[in-house]
Amino acid sequence: MAERIGRLSLFALLLLQPLWHAVLAPPSMVPVWLVLVIAIVPLLGPVIAVLRGHRDALFWGALVSLLYFCHGVAEAWAAPSERHLALVQIALSLVLVACVGGSGLARRRASRRAGL
């Protein structure tokens, strides 16, 4: 269950980027395509790995999502007009990290029980 929620939050984080940076609050000083490349490319590796069924893909997605967490905190602080989008990004990142951490702890506890 946690892995399914983690996958959904990873995909939602990927979908949020073009919605935020191209539709809801496009940048005024930088080309939109450049912002989209910078915002989307780091997520493509983990998303493709999840789609291919790699075992550690969600871990790497959670690691990458920490960048989006930091970006969300900075935007929530610096750009009040985009705060709602930043808070969504922060929440998705936290959900992904919590799901990966929770499933990792569950696996660790299960292996300890099996070993005892």
Side-chain angles (χ1 to χ4, degrees):
M1 181 67 162
E3 288 185 25
R4 183 176 297 158
I5 295 170
R7 282 189 211 108
L8 287 174
S9 63
L10 180 63
F11 293 129
L13 195 58
L14 179 66
L15 292 175
L16 175 65
Q17 303 313 309
L19 184 64
W20 179 352
H21 300 296
V23 177
L24 298 175
S28 59
M29 304 283 287
V30 182
V32 172
W33 68 267
L34 181 60
V35 174
L36 288 176
V37 167
I38 292 169
I40 292 174
V41 167
L43 288 170
L44 287 180
V47 166
I48 291 170
V50 164
L51 291 174
R52 290 185 176 173
H54 290 286
R55 196 176 115 188
D56 295 333
L58 274 183
F59 169 77
W60 290 106
L63 195 62
V64 169
S65 79
L66 294 175
L67 297 170
Y68 293 87
F69 172 81
C70 293
H71 174 259
V73 169
E75 287 296 318
W77 180 267
S81 63
E82 298 176 26
R83 185 167 290 146
H84 60 289
L85 296 167
L87 292 174
V88 170
Q89 182 166 289
I90 291 168
L92 290 171
S93 299
L94 289 176
V95 166
L96 179 55
V97 170
C99 288
V100 169
S103 67
L105 286 173
R107 273 191 252 136
R108 186 174 177 185
R109 287 182 184 141
S111 68
R112 279 187 184 171
R113 287 183 194 138
L116 292 176

